[in-house]
Amino acid sequence: MWVFLLTEILFFGALFMVYAVYRMWYPEAFAASSHHLDIPLGTINTAVLIGSSLTMALAVHAAQLNSRKGIMIFIVLTMILGGIFLGIKAVEYSHKFHEHLVPGPLFAFEPEFFRPAQIFFSLYFMMTGLHALHMVVGMGLMIWMLIWAYNGTLGNGYYSPVEIVGLYWHFVDIVWIFLFPLLYLIGRHS
């Protein structure tokens, strides 16, 4: 899992580097573009993911204590929080579609920042979309952990799958902790 997470760090690191380069080239356009992102929804999503990290850590702890019921409860709570995050992200995406902020032929933005704004929103959708995809994968892995917990496979000294899924989930949460300020906060002026 650590090797896999290292490859994920390199993957997301490359995206962050591309974002940083374009942000240096077009600081005013990126700041103007970020004004179209919803800070309250992004903040709620950040709190939701921090909560999901807690419930995932509690699922790992329950597995270490051989509490099948605890594993199941905390994994379900983690999945609910993950679902809330994805639901809020879907609302944000819907707003971008309605505001014509999806790069392509219908994209609409201030003429002076038109091209760099398309770059910003391309990166926004790419980075947050890949993050959401990683969350869906994590939730799929949690379904597998629920089945194993229900069947009694987990426990009695065998809880490493829960720890591994927990590492993956924490990584996904950490990616969001970097995405939120980079996309939503940095460079915004009141």
Side-chain angles (χ1 to χ4, degrees), residues 4-180:
F4 172 74
L5 290 179
L6 181 60
T7 65
E8 290 290 290
I9 290 168
L10 293 172
F11 176 71
F12 277 102
L15 288 174
F16 285 126
M17 183 61 73
V18 168
Y19 175 86
V21 168
Y22 277 113
R23 185 169 199 90
M24 279 192 309
W25 286 349
Y26 307 112
E28 297 87 11
F30 271 50
S33 299
S34 73
H35 277 88
H36 292 274
L37 301 182
D38 193 319
I39 291 179
L41 289 180
T43 303
I44 291 167
N45 260 352
T46 302
V48 165
L49 276 191
I50 290 170
S52 77
S53 272
L54 172 63
T55 56
M56 191 67 224
L58 292 171
V60 171
H61 183 67
Q64 292 168 340
L65 296 176
N66 198 28
S67 171
R68 190 169 85 179
K69 183 179 178 183
I71 296 168
M72 294 173 67
I73 288 170
F74 289 120
I75 286 178
V76 166
L77 288 173
T78 304
M79 291 176 69
I80 289 170
L81 291 169
I84 290 169
F85 178 95
L86 292 173
I88 291 172
K89 187 51 63 188
V91 167
E92 283 189 89
Y93 279 9
S94 173
H95 291 160
K96 301 301 162 272
F97 279 98
H98 291 307
E99 296 169 357
H100 299 284
L101 294 174
V102 178
L106 300 178
F107 187 76
F109 206 81
E110 302 167 30
E112 68 177 306
F113 296 136
F114 186 81
R115 292 283 181 216
Q118 278 194 328
I119 295 169
F120 175 88
F121 283 105
S122 294
L123 289 168
Y124 166 79
F125 282 108
M126 186 182 325
M127 295 169 86
T128 60
L130 285 169
H131 177 262
L133 177 63
H134 279 75
M135 289 190 67
V136 170
V137 168
M139 292 170 72
L141 293 171
M142 284 184 227
I143 290 171
W144 194 253
M145 293 302 100
L146 277 176
I147 293 168
W148 278 12
Y150 180 79
N151 291 336
T153 303
L154 298 173
N156 294 328
Y158 183 65
Y159 52 84
S160 60
V162 181
E163 285 184 328
I164 290 168
V165 171
L167 281 172
Y168 176 83
W169 192 256
H170 294 314
F171 168 77
V172 171
D173 292 352
I174 289 169
V175 168
W176 179 256
I177 296 300
F178 284 94
L179 284 175
F180 175 62

